[in-house]
Amino acid sequence: MFDIRIAGPDDAEALGDVHAAGWEAAYAPFFSPEFAALGVSDRRTRWHARIGEGILLLASFEGRPLALSWSGASPRRPGWAEVYGFYGHPDGWGSGIAPALMARTLVRLRAEGHERVHLWTLRDTPRSRRFYEKNGYVPTGASRSHDFGDGKPLAQVEYAREC
């Protein structure tokens, strides 16, 4: 039903489109309109430099890219994996593509030898938190502040699960 594959150099624009649309819908409301517009623009072009770093998966439906997953070894938790980024285009929300992509991400991480995985998400995004919880992630109780570049740090919470 869904095509899920490792992203290659020719996918950078599609990755940017998915990331920008998903980020704008979920996170732009936390920022000033000017900063949010810069964030959307930046997310459209940053994937060219990330192809080949970690495990980068792109999920499509009927040829249209609708979700991405970027993961690999955790720099914070030795021996663990981390989902660095997981974004869905709003046009794919509710379609089942994101859970399918998460399941494939976990398979890839297990194949790389990881037994546990963690991720960080904004504390005040109930939609993303529900998604992670429905996909077996549980809050670890850890939190941190993250400054996205506007000088106004936002609270993030950590989730974890077995791969």
Side-chain angles (χ1 to χ4, degrees):
M1 181 168 176
F2 302 115
D3 175 44
I4 301 172
R5 61 183 175 74
I6 295 175
D10 293 340
D11 296 314
E13 186 175 324
L15 293 163
D17 288 344
V18 168
H19 189 189
W23 187 88
E24 183 175 28
Y27 299 109
F30 292 96
F31 305 102
S32 71
E34 299 79 17
F35 186 80
L38 290 172
V40 169
S41 176
D42 175 62
R43 280 156 180 79
R44 289 195 185 285
T45 59
R46 67 172 55 171
W47 291 99
H48 292 84
R50 291 185 176 163
I51 301 289
E53 292 181 12
I55 301 167
L56 184 54
L57 301 177
L58 181 62
S60 301
F61 179 68
E62 295 182 349
R64 182 173 178 206
L66 290 172
L68 72 85
S69 172
W70 183 35
S71 60
S74 173
R76 295 167 192 88
R77 292 186 176 265
W80 287 45
E82 182 172 349
V83 175
Y84 311 130
F86 194 95
Y87 290 92
H89 192 289
D91 291 350
W93 291 358
S95 70
I97 198 165
L101 177 58
M102 182 58 76
R104 184 71 59 84
T105 299
L106 296 171
V107 166
R108 291 297 307 236
L109 291 171
R110 275 194 304 274
E112 295 281 325
H114 298 285
E115 295 180 11
R116 305 239 350 122
V117 59
H118 73 112
L119 59 84
W120 293 91
T121 192
L122 287 182
R123 180 192 64 205
D124 298 325
T125 53
R127 180 183 197 98
S128 64
R129 293 181 70 174
R130 276 192 310 271
F131 171 77
Y132 294 126
E133 289 168 6
K134 284 181 182 180
N135 284 274
Y137 287 84
V138 294
T140 66
S143 62
R144 68 181 184 187
S145 291
H146 182 75
D147 185 346
F148 287 84
D150 66 345
K152 300 175 185 174
L154 297 174
Q156 291 185 313
V157 292
E158 183 185 45
Y159 280 80
R161 64 161 287 162
E162 292 182 5
C163 288

